[in-house]
Amino acid sequence: MCIDCGCGSSPHSHSHEHQHETDSRTIRIGEDLLAKNNRLADSNRQRLAQQGVFTLNLVSSPGSGKTTLLERTLQQLKSELRFAVLEGDQQTSNDADRIAATGVPVHQINTGTGCHLDAHMVGHGLDHFHLNQLDILMIENVGNLVCPAPFDLGEDHKVVVLSVTEGEDKPLKYPHMFRAATLMLINKTDLLPYLPFDLQRCLSYARQINPDMRIIELSCLTGEGLDEWFAWLTQQANQKRLKAT
Ligand SMILES: Nc1nc2c(ncn2[C@@H]2O[C@H](COP(=O)(O)OP(=O)(O)OP(=O)(O)O)[C@@H](O)[C@H]2O)c(=O)[nH]1
Ligand SMILES: [Zn+2]
Ligand SMILES: [Zn+2]
Ligand SMILES: [Zn+2]
């Protein structure tokens, strides 16, 4: 039973934009839900700030390469920085098992019928780690370019991963997600020679939606471009640790 959030009765059931938005009651429920989420996100953010844990929320379509990116990142940086991973999946422990194989602490959150992580789930997830022994917390959200967008988890940044097999128009089609993100990783660039994907057009769509978003092109398969991501991550984590309260 949880004191802070008053849970313990039933697991999450929620209604959001899947219902009729013209129904004022649904809109009110949605607002209450987001207000409650934001309060819990603030509490997560405070806990993470106290310990100086730099926290990223990885969002993307299914299969864009979030878990592969995490594996590569942990393999490369785990000797320099202390990581933990929260794995959000609808079902199965496949991703959590892949992360556990790297030796980094991981906790899995199955959302069941839910289509995104929320701050409440993440708050309980934090209890599974020794936050004072961490530099970076990675949260892999449920693969979905829509629902995770409005949910603040208390993270420092949302990082949107787009793979070149998905088409260059995704920033235009899912603008909320690309607006919410600080950094966009364009993954699977090794496949560019085989696809009609127009990289310049994708970059310009992304800039149109979010002019301030940083963009890194990379391939988790060949490792191309990963150095820039590693450098950004390391620098951000160091800054956050210095600011620990
Ligand atoms: N060619 C190529 N394949 C990649 C790359 N990165 C990941 N993949 C492949 O893409 C597939 C999906 O990768 P995952 O890392 O499981 O993707 P995910 O985003 O974690 O997927 P979900 O958790 O289901 O949303 C796997 O077969 C990976 O091997 C890459 O840079 N290039
Ligand atoms: Zn709770
Ligand atoms: Zn995954
Ligand atoms: Zn949804």
Side-chain angles (χ1 to χ4, degrees):
M1 177 67 177
C2 160
I3 302 162
D4 287 340
C5 53
C7 76
S9 41
S10 64
H12 291 271
S13 71
H14 59 247
S15 55
H16 57 113
E17 50 280 318
H18 297 271
Q19 296 190 16
H20 299 284
E21 295 205 345
T22 47
D23 182 324
S24 64
R25 189 170 164 272
T26 303
I27 291 170
R28 201 176 67 239
I29 292 170
E31 283 169 358
D32 290 350
L33 200 121
L34 279 178
K36 184 180 176 205
N37 182 78
N38 288 344
R39 278 197 302 279
L40 294 170
D42 282 341
S43 139
N44 293 346
R45 196 174 350 265
Q46 248 176 39
R47 287 173 71 185
L48 293 161
Q50 272 164 6
Q51 310 295 343
V53 183
F54 182 60
T55 303
L56 294 181
N57 175 8
L58 299 182
V59 291
S60 83
S61 308
S64 66
K66 299 179 293 301
T67 312
T68 311
L69 178 78
L70 284 172
E71 290 173 315
R72 293 286 310 232
T73 304
L74 301 174
Q75 279 152 9
Q76 181 70 28
L77 297 180
K78 70 178 179 186
S79 56
E80 297 160 41
L81 293 159
R82 300 166 299 174
F83 283 88
V85 178
L86 275 177
E87 271 297 341
D89 264 311
Q90 278 210 309
Q91 207 66 255
T92 84
S93 62
N94 292 3
D95 286 2
D97 294 344
R98 287 167 61 186
I99 299 303
T102 68
V104 165
V106 55
H107 177 71
Q108 175 185 326
I109 304 171
N110 281 132
T111 56
T113 55
C115 36
H116 58 266
L117 292 174
D118 64 27
H120 180 200
M121 301 171 187
V122 168
H124 284 291
L126 295 184
D127 296 336
H128 292 264
F129 303 120
H130 299 288
L131 295 182
N132 59 348
Q133 295 169 22
L134 293 185
D135 299 308
I136 300 185
L137 174 68
M138 295 289 209
I139 305 171
E140 177 174 343
N141 218 310
V142 177
N144 170 357
L145 274 178
V146 180
C147 306
F151 284 85
D152 182 3
L153 305 180
E155 74 276 50
D156 289 288
H157 301 295
K158 286 187 177 66
V159 175
V160 65
V161 184
L162 177 69
S163 59
V164 299
T165 53
E166 295 167 55
E168 59 276 309
D169 60 350
K170 290 302 168 290
L172 295 184
K173 293 182 77 176
Y174 303 96
H176 297 293
M177 186 62 93
F178 288 86
R179 227 170 259 137
T182 311
L183 171 65
M184 169 177 172
L185 302 177
I186 303 186
N187 188 29
K188 309 196 188 182
T189 54
D190 57 285
L191 296 175
L192 280 172
Y194 315 104
L195 297 167
F197 185 89
D198 186 332
L199 187 58
Q200 288 314 315
R201 188 172 288 181
C202 182
L203 295 173
S204 113
Y205 289 154
R207 294 250 167 276
Q208 205 175 309
I209 297 299
N210 185 348
D212 299 326
M213 185 166 60
R214 179 158 179 174
I215 303 175
I216 301 177
E217 298 154 29
L218 49 81
S219 164
C220 290
L221 188 72
T222 65
E224 190 192 348
L226 282 177
D227 283 349
E228 193 181 343
W229 153 249
F230 294 150
W232 181 84
L233 192 57
T234 306
Q235 192 218 9
Q236 297 282 323
N238 289 338
Q239 268 177 22
K240 177 89 187 240
R241 192 173 338 99
L242 289 174
K243 277 195 284 190
T245 46

